[in-house]
Amino acid sequence: MVKAAVLVSGGGTNLEALLKAEEEGRMPSLHIALVIADREAYALKRAADHGRRGILIERRAIGMKRFSEELLKTLSENGIQMVILAGFLSILPETVIEAYKDRIINIHPSLIPSFCGKGFYGLKVHEAALDYGVKVTGATVHIVNEIPDGGRILMQKAVYIEPDDTAETLQRRVMEEAEWIILPQAAEMIAKEIENESR
Ligand code: GAR
């Protein structure tokens, strides 16, 4: 079984979906061994409620260089083989991307290549989709490389925009109808690949 870490910055509903999937036996190839937050986040409480280890490495307090060092050290000391970004809002340090090449996945709340890249995160993504006037949006899980939201796409799911949607209602529907479904599925897919490679 692959040991995974989930990196978070906020409410942690995607983390909750992952923990639920593991507990219900829908991710048999991985175990969420660690949750790491880059700032005070409700997601850490969710981790504790599920009996998982949570670690806070406050990026703003220690600066990017030390954050990178601490993060890499924590991952390797805990034998982490795969990293899942679930609402993680810092840019991931290059050292981590290199150390975990093809073993880091991210959930993004749009159909990449629309509304993605630098500056597109959280509600801003949904505001941009509504401002543009697209009628279909969704979520994407992709491999993380050095280009923000630019790595290989693993899964996507479309969500229709309703005429009376606000950024908030759209965010919620994209989570419910797309993110919470495809993130556990893609995580299981990559964990299975890692297991097969090490056989
Ligand atoms: C989610 O919608 C996630 O897709 C998004 O932040 C939200 C986190 O919610 N991530 C990004 O925008 C990354 N570019 P959560 O903390 O409840 O999972």
Side-chain angles (χ1 to χ4, degrees), residues 77-128:
E77 275 176 2
N78 286 280
I80 298 300
Q81 298 163 278
M82 161 183 182
V83 177
I84 303 168
L85 308 187
F88 183 68
L89 299 181
S90 290
I91 295 286
L92 202 62
E94 261 181 39
T95 48
V96 176
I97 296 176
E98 275 163 28
Y100 286 87
K101 194 174 180 305
D102 294 328
R103 291 173 177 218
I104 309 173
I105 66 172
N106 177 47
I107 179 86
H108 182 77
S110 76
L111 293 174
I112 290 175
S114 289
F115 314 117
C116 64
K118 205 165 179 281
F120 285 99
Y121 58 86
L123 265 187
K124 287 179 197 284
V125 179
H126 304 290
E127 282 162 4

Side-chain angles (χ1 to χ4, degrees), residues 25-162:
R26 286 183 280 119
M27 295 195 308
S29 306
L30 73 123
H31 169 60
I32 298 166
L34 195 59
V35 175
I36 302 176
D38 65 345
R39 63 198 76 186
E40 289 289 351
Y42 185 72
L44 285 176
K45 173 157 189 321
R46 293 187 194 266
D49 288 348
H50 286 261
R52 309 303 164 107
R53 213 165 139 223
I55 294 179
L56 173 63
I57 310 176
E58 262 192 300
R59 182 178 58 82
R60 284 212 183 93
I62 60 176
M64 196 56 187
K65 189 170 176 290
R66 269 197 56 207
F67 176 75
S68 307
E69 290 162 3
E70 287 289 314
L71 182 58
L72 196 55
K73 191 165 146 257
T74 306
L75 294 172
S76 67
E77 275 176 2
N78 286 280
I80 298 300
Q81 298 163 278
M82 161 183 182
V83 177
I84 303 168
L85 308 187
F88 183 68
L89 299 181
S90 290
I91 295 286
L92 202 62
E94 261 181 39
T95 48
V96 176
I97 296 176
E98 275 163 28
Y100 286 87
K101 194 174 180 305
D102 294 328
R103 291 173 177 218
I104 309 173
I105 66 172
N106 177 47
I107 179 86
H108 182 77
S110 76
L111 293 174
I112 290 175
S114 289
F115 314 117
C116 64
K118 205 165 179 281
F120 285 99
Y121 58 86
L123 265 187
K124 287 179 197 284
V125 179
H126 304 290
E127 282 162 4
L130 291 175
D131 282 351
Y132 200 96
V134 292
K135 303 298 175 212
V136 183
T137 184
T140 303
V141 182
H142 63 91
I143 292 281
V144 173
N145 65 9
E146 64 292 346
I147 305 159
D149 298 326
R152 179 164 61 92
I153 290 174
L154 299 172
M155 278 186 196
Q156 290 189 304
K157 196 163 187 296
V159 174
Y160 283 100
I161 292 177
E162 308 288 348

